[in-house]
Amino acid sequence: MAVPIAVLDCDLLLYGRGHRTLDRFKLEDVTDEYLVSTYGFPRQFICYLVDLLGATLSRPTQRSRAISPETQILAALGFYTSGSFQTRMGDAIGISQASMSRCVANVTEALVERASQFIHFPKDEATVQSLKDDFYGLAGMPGVLGVVDCTHVAIKAPNAEDLSYVNRKGLHSLNCLMVCDSRGVLLSAETHWPGSLPDCTVLEQAALTSQFETELHKDGWLLGDSSFLLRTWLMTPLHIPETPAEYRYNMAHSATHNVIERTFRTIRSRFRCLDGSKGTLQYSPEKSSHIILACCVLHNISLQHGLDVWSAPAAGHMEQSEEEYEQMESVDSEACRVRQELLLTHFS
C-alpha cells in the first residue's frame, strides 16, 4: 500500500484534491457573493486584474498544466485577504499549497512592477487644485496635498543577529511610510524601512523627502503628526497651543490628518495578511515589503472601482506608530515662518 499512497500524495501536491484540473474553476460558474467571501473582491474587479496582469503572468512554459493568470490572481487575492495558505483555498481552485505560494509571488511582483502607475501624486494643476479643495472641505485646512504617517507590519525575524527590524515593542516589523488624499487613495508608499527606525528618521531618509524638496509643488504641503519635524512642505501641530488661532489650527490639522488613520484601518481590514491575525508575514523583509506594496496597489485599484472607501476597524497588529519622542521645535526658521503665516492668514 505504500507505493499507491505515495503516488496519490504526489498527485495531490501537483493537482490538488480530487484530481481537479486547473482549468476547472471558472469565474462565470460562481456568484459574486462567493467571490467576495472567498477572495475578497467581486467578479468585475478580478476580471480587471486578469486583463491588467494577464500578459505578465502568462509566461512561456513547457508544462502542460501551467496555472492560468486567472487562477494565479485568485490564489493571490485569497492569501492577501485571508492571510492564509489553507488547504481549502487551494482546493477551491484546484492547486496545492506550494502552487499557492508561487502564485502569490508571481502576482505580487506583477503588481509591484505597476506600483508607480497606481500610486503617485497628481501633476497637472487642475488635479492638484482639486486635491487641495477636497482637503479644505474636510476641516478648513488650506494648501494640503496629502497626509503622511507611518504604520508597522509584523514580519518573521530575518535572523538572530539582525536587530534592525526589532521595533519598540520588541517585535520584528517593517515601518511603512504612506501618504494619502482625502478619499484614502495612496499617493506614496514606502514599505521597506526596518522597524527599528523611528518615523522621523524614516522620513528623513525617504524618497518622499527628496521629491518634496526638489520636485513637487512649492505652494502646498503635507500634514504630519508630532513624530515628524516641521518643514516648509510638512505642517505639524503646535506642541503647546496658546492662542485661539493656534487651537483652531491644531483642531483642523487633527481632523484632516485623521484620514490616514482611517486609511490604515481600511487596508488592514481588507488585507488580513497584514493585520497580524494570522501571524506575521513569513517572508524575508524584501518579499514582505513587496507584499505590502502589492496590497497598497490593490487598495488604490479598489477605490478606482468604487469599492468600500472606508471599512470598519479590525483587530490586528498593523498599527500606527506610538513613538516616544522628545518634543522639539523645528530649527528651520523658514518652516516656522510658513506655519506662522498660515496661522495668521487662515486661523486668526
Side-chain angles (χ1 to χ4, degrees):
M1 292 299 294
V3 172
I5 291 175
V7 171
L8 175 60
D9 285 347
C10 288
D11 193 55
L12 180 64
L13 287 172
L14 287 171
Y15 309 124
R17 295 182 185 276
H19 304 271
R20 288 188 177 184
T21 57
L22 296 177
D23 59 354
R24 198 77 167 275
F25 185 93
K26 298 293 184 182
L27 284 177
E28 57 268 24
D29 293 340
V30 296
T31 64
D32 254 14
E33 290 75 14
Y34 172 81
L35 291 172
V36 171
S37 65
T38 307
Y39 306 104
F41 293 95
R43 187 187 328 276
Q44 182 181 11
F45 182 89
I46 296 170
C47 289
Y48 173 82
L49 292 182
V50 173
D51 290 340
L52 177 70
L53 307 178
T56 302
L57 298 175
S58 299
R59 296 191 174 96
T61 178
Q62 299 301 314
R63 296 170 57 196
S64 60
R65 302 178 69 88
I67 302 176
S68 69
E70 181 179 283
T71 300
Q72 291 183 62
I73 288 168
L74 288 172
L77 291 178
F79 169 71
Y80 297 145
T81 58
S82 72
S84 174
F85 284 135
Q86 295 179 47
T87 303
R88 67 172 182 81
M89 187 66 70
D91 283 354
I93 48 180
I95 62 174
S96 68
Q97 181 172 319
S99 294
M100 280 280 296
S101 183
R102 288 192 294 273
C103 291
V104 171
N106 292 341
V107 174
T108 295
E109 292 311 307
L111 288 168
V112 167
E113 289 174 4
R114 291 161 176 77
S116 61
Q117 177 183 344
F118 294 99
I119 303 176
H120 56 81
F121 284 91
K123 294 183 178 179
D124 64 282
E125 291 186 11
T127 308
V128 170
Q129 187 57 52
S130 177
L131 185 66
K132 294 179 184 178
D133 292 344
D134 289 343
F135 272 118
Y136 187 79
L138 294 179
M141 179 70 76
V144 180
L145 299 169
V147 289
V148 59
D149 211 341
C150 288
T151 189
H152 284 260
V153 177
I155 63 172
K156 73 172 183 178
N159 57 61
E161 292 74 30
D162 190 351
L163 300 180
S164 65
Y165 292 93
V166 179
N167 61 30
R168 287 184 56 255
K169 296 182 178 181
L171 304 174
H172 289 82
S173 68
L174 291 168
N175 195 3
C176 305
L177 179 73
M178 300 187 192
V179 180
C180 74
D181 70 9
S182 63
R183 294 180 52 241
V185 175
L186 294 173
L187 306 175
S188 177
E190 299 184 35
T191 60
H192 62 283
W193 297 102
S196 66
L197 293 182
D199 294 359
C200 59
T201 303
V202 168
L203 182 62
E204 184 70 33
Q205 300 177 10
L208 179 69
T209 294
S210 176
Q211 279 185 296
F212 266 83
E213 292 186 345
T214 61
E215 301 174 19
L216 289 179
H217 320 280
K218 305 298 182 182
D219 57 345
W221 39 73
L222 302 178
L223 296 188
D225 63 21
S226 295
S227 61
F228 302 115
L229 284 176
L230 179 71
R231 299 169 185 260
T232 55
W233 50 268
L234 178 65
M235 294 293 103
T236 59
L238 290 138
H239 298 319
I240 306 177
E242 296 177 346
T243 68
E246 290 175 346
Y247 275 103
R248 284 193 288 270
Y249 166 85
N250 271 14
M251 289 178 64
H253 187 292
S254 177
T256 307
H257 188 264
N258 184 55
V259 173
I260 192 74
E261 300 170 13
R262 288 187 288 165
T263 299
F264 287 156
R265 290 198 297 267
T266 297
I267 294 172
R268 181 185 65 195
S269 177
R270 171 163 279 150
F271 302 106
R272 291 301 180 90
C273 69
L274 306 181
D275 77 358
S277 64
K278 300 293 184 180
T280 61
L281 285 175
Q282 297 297 302
Y283 298 90
S284 68
E286 180 182 9
K287 289 185 178 179
S288 295
S289 170
H290 285 186
I291 288 173
I292 300 166
L293 185 55
C295 290
C296 290
V297 172
L298 290 172
H299 167 77
N300 276 10
I301 296 175
S302 70
L303 294 186
Q304 287 183 5
H305 282 72
L307 303 180
D308 303 328
V309 178
W310 305 121
S311 297
H317 296 93
M318 183 184 177
E319 300 174 351
Q320 276 189 272
S321 303
E322 297 179 359
E323 300 200 357
E324 293 178 358
Y325 49 84
E326 185 178 349
Q327 299 283 11
M328 298 178 294
E329 286 296 343
S330 174
V331 295
D332 186 338
S333 59
E334 178 62 14
C336 292
R337 184 197 65 76
V338 170
R339 186 170 65 181
Q340 189 60 31
E341 183 177 326
L342 178 59
L343 280 162
L344 293 173
T345 305
H346 293 279
F347 295 97
S348 295

